Amino acid sequence: MSDNALTTTSDNGGKATAIYILYLAGFVTGITPLIGLIMAYVFQDDAPEWLLSHYRNAIHVFWKGCLYIIISLVLTVIIIGAFMLLVQMIWFIVRCVKGLHYISQGKPYPNPQSWGF
């Protein structure tokens, strides 16, 4: 049995779960989503296919979230940006909670490249 086979069979989603939790903890700490992003990039190489979708989702959520925040901050000048920040926070939380839900069921994240919920 190869090292890769041992790695993929022993990975039950704990690392991806930790990444989602780090993302959610970012609302309090501020820095933990960056740690989660680094973990997602590192762990995606040896991940089984169903977990790879979660790592891809985590990477996409981070970068799209950054884009949404920048756009929202620019648009706060015309007030709509404040509403967009709230929507972005909800989007971020929903994507993380959905990821935790799918991991608990041992399922891949459906369409991790999606821009929506």
Side-chain angles (χ1 to χ4, degrees):
M1 190 181 282
S2 71
D3 289 336
N4 191 25
L6 288 173
T7 303
T8 58
T9 57
S10 65
D11 194 351
N12 61 1
K15 295 173 187 172
T17 299
I19 291 168
Y20 287 127
I21 291 170
L22 286 169
Y23 277 17
L24 293 171
F27 287 107
V28 177
T29 65
I31 191 72
T32 56
L34 185 58
I35 296 167
L37 175 69
I38 293 167
M39 289 173 61
Y41 274 116
V42 169
F43 296 143
Q44 73 176 346
D45 293 335
D46 297 327
E49 191 62 35
W50 77 276
L51 274 179
L52 183 59
S53 69
H54 288 281
Y55 295 132
R56 287 182 180 154
N57 179 57
I59 292 166
H60 285 274
V61 164
F62 182 89
W63 292 116
K64 290 173 186 170
C66 288
L67 177 64
Y68 289 159
I69 287 173
I70 291 168
I71 292 169
S72 298
L73 289 174
V74 168
L75 291 176
T76 55
V77 175
I78 57 172
I79 301 181
I80 194 163
F83 173 72
M84 289 177 62
L85 280 171
L86 177 64
V87 171
Q88 189 276 333
M89 271 186 9
I90 293 168
W91 172 84
F92 190 86
I93 293 168
V94 167
R95 292 288 296 240
C96 290
V97 170
K98 279 178 61 176
L100 289 168
H101 174 72
Y102 285 118
I103 286 175
S104 71
Q105 294 180 341
K107 295 180 180 178
Y109 195 97
N111 197 10
Q113 290 84 11
S114 168
W115 285 80
F117 290 98

